[in-house]
Amino acid sequence: MSVQQCLITGGAGFIGSHLAETLIKMGEGVVVIDDLSTGRWENISHLKGKKGFRFVRESILNKAVLKKLIEGCNVIYHLAAAVGVKFIIDNPLKSMEINIKGTENVAELASKEKKKVLFTSTSEIYGKKERRRLKEDDDRILGTTKIARWSYSCTKAADEFLLLAYHRQKGLPVVIMRLFNTCGPRQVGDYGMVIPRLRKQALSGDPMTVYGDGKQTRSFTYITDVIEAMIALMNHPWAVGEIFNVGSEEGITILTLAKKIKALSKSKSKIVLIPYEEAYEKGFEDMRHRIPDLSKIRKFINYAPKVNLDEMLRRIVS
Ligand code: UDP
């Protein structure tokens, strides 16, 4: 494969920085655009000076800068977005602006230039569906607009609609992936993510905060498996115009997760149950279960996560 110039929006974030690192190792050119609002320079500072790497500190809301970067690249990994349930609830306006206007800018400019876009959407899209294995073409069930959490799901769904409309009407080559809970080094708990939060609490001996009754389930995917899927989907010719779940089918309750992290870190922390209203906001609604059906991505790229839950916790916690 010849060298590609890859633009990564949000490339200083947890996932974007791992993607940048992998693409540079593969010999690709990488330009990261990130305003460092939730991304961090430390995530990519080790790439400074590496052949083919460039960092632009700017928001994707700056259309003039984004236009130049899109003109100069071959493909776009569009990751820049508001992240984390806590961040969305604390910053509802900023979240909507970046998720809606930002993606609109990427879609419009990429479409003019006919540059392929891989968009990282989210399993939040499915809302509070109870069915355990979520499929790409499932209906979505969302709560009232009074609950800020659901705005994230809606903005990401609007992004999917927009990108698919550009694909149908203007021929924009786009691939959509819906990420389920991802974890790995560089992920921080500041915006709500459960594993880094529980890890930090366990290591410092603070109470480990499990929200609700702790019986809600999630499935976690290790970052290297996600990055592999991302690059494979970007380079798969038939993936264009399609939506893919990317995650793991190995579910766990959050209470069991907390117990595992406590045991692995040999922590003396207490595990405490915190009501959702206290953790987030009045009327907060959580998803009870969220596990993907992976048959579609398996069929397209032979996807099978290599790192299981115990192994990823060992890598992250110890
Ligand atoms: N959670 C928790 N304690 C925390 C942070 C999160 O019990 O300190 C719960 C949260 O309510 C949810 C699950 O862990 O049920 C995963 O939360 P996260 O924010 O990581 O991702 P989500 O799946 O909600 O997008």
Side-chain angles (χ1 to χ4, degrees):
M1 209 172 12
S2 59
V3 175
Q4 293 197 99
Q5 285 302 322
C6 308
L7 176 65
I8 308 178
T9 72
F14 157 54
I15 297 176
S17 65
H18 284 279
L19 176 64
E21 193 178 295
T22 305
L23 290 169
I24 287 288
K25 272 191 200 140
M26 289 167 64
E28 309 282 36
V30 170
V31 178
V32 162
I33 176 171
D34 199 303
D35 63 1
L36 302 185
S37 52
T38 54
R40 295 182 304 161
W41 167 244
E42 303 89 89
N43 286 347
I44 49 168
S45 55
H46 62 292
L47 298 176
K48 193 180 166 197
K50 290 247 190 273
K51 191 169 169 275
F53 179 75
R54 188 153 79 91
F55 172 57
V56 178
R57 183 177 180 171
E58 188 50 82
S59 166
I60 54 167
L61 299 176
N62 185 333
K63 224 169 155 182
V65 169
L66 188 64
K67 182 170 185 285
K68 283 216 174 76
L69 297 180
I70 287 181
E71 282 167 1
C73 75
N74 303 111
V75 295
I76 304 155
Y77 290 90
H78 175 35
L79 279 68
V83 289
V85 175
K86 192 173 169 351
F87 183 88
I88 308 298
I89 290 171
D90 294 344
N91 307 277
L93 266 180
K94 194 169 177 216
S95 304
M96 277 188 270
E97 185 182 34
I98 186 75
N99 287 5
I100 294 176
K101 284 193 198 149
T103 296
E104 207 175 350
N105 286 348
V106 171
E108 185 195 322
L109 295 167
S111 171
K112 274 195 191 122
E113 295 291 317
K114 290 274 181 288
K115 301 286 166 73
K116 191 169 182 177
V117 180
L118 180 127
F119 175 61
T120 49
S121 187
T122 168
S123 54
E124 282 270 328
I125 285 274
Y126 296 107
K128 47 184 175 176
K129 266 189 88 82
E130 281 291 317
R131 211 175 87 186
R132 285 194 176 227
R133 296 289 160 102
L134 297 161
K135 258 185 118 100
E136 288 85 350
D137 50 6
D138 274 353
D139 292 339
R140 305 165 51 233
I141 301 182
L142 303 173
T144 167
T145 50
K146 292 257 186 176
I147 296 174
R149 176 193 195 132
W150 301 120
S151 73
Y152 181 60
S153 178
C154 290
T155 57
K156 284 292 203 172
D159 290 345
E160 288 195 10
F161 276 124
L162 185 77
L163 288 162
L164 291 172
Y166 267 99
H167 171 65
R168 283 191 208 107
Q169 288 196 0
K170 311 255 184 193
L172 172 71
V174 65
V175 182
I176 295 173
M177 57 192 278
R178 290 184 183 154
L179 285 174
F180 284 65
N181 299 62
T182 303
C183 65
R186 296 185 206 143
Q187 187 180 41
V188 291
D190 308 13
Y191 313 114
M193 281 74 170
V194 67
I195 291 184
R197 286 177 68 82
L198 293 176
R199 172 185 182 270
K200 197 171 168 191
Q201 292 163 345
L203 293 177
S204 57
D206 292 338
M208 296 172 72
T209 57
V210 169
Y211 300 158
D213 62 6
K215 289 185 185 147
Q216 68 272 39
T217 55
R218 292 292 187 274
S219 59
F220 296 87
T221 317
Y222 197 64
I223 185 70
T224 45
D225 284 319
V226 169
I227 299 301
E228 208 175 289
M230 242 172 174
I231 295 171
L233 287 175
M234 172 63 103
N235 292 305
H236 195 302
W238 298 344
V240 170
E242 298 289 342
I243 300 173
F244 299 89
N245 283 339
V246 179
S248 146
E249 287 164 331
E250 190 185 358
I252 185 169
T253 70
I254 300 300
L255 186 57
T256 311
L257 178 74
K259 287 179 184 162
K260 275 185 187 273
I261 293 175
K262 182 176 151 118
L264 269 173
S265 55
K266 299 189 177 64
S267 170
K268 294 205 164 51
S269 291
K270 273 203 189 103
I271 297 177
V272 291
L273 295 182
I274 309 273
Y276 283 119
E277 295 207 352
E278 219 174 280
Y280 296 111
E281 61 172 357
K282 199 168 179 300
F284 179 85
E285 293 178 316
D286 199 10
M287 281 99 172
R288 252 348 241 173
H289 307 292
R290 194 157 70 185
I291 296 179
D293 179 306
L294 297 173
S295 37
K296 184 168 176 185
I297 188 168
R298 225 179 263 127
K299 201 166 85 192
F300 272 71
I301 60 164
N302 210 11
Y303 170 83
K306 296 187 183 81
V307 184
N308 68 22
L309 183 67
D310 283 337
E311 174 59 21
M312 72 183 82
L313 289 179
R314 254 193 307 279
R315 290 188 195 181
I316 295 166
V317 176
S318 45

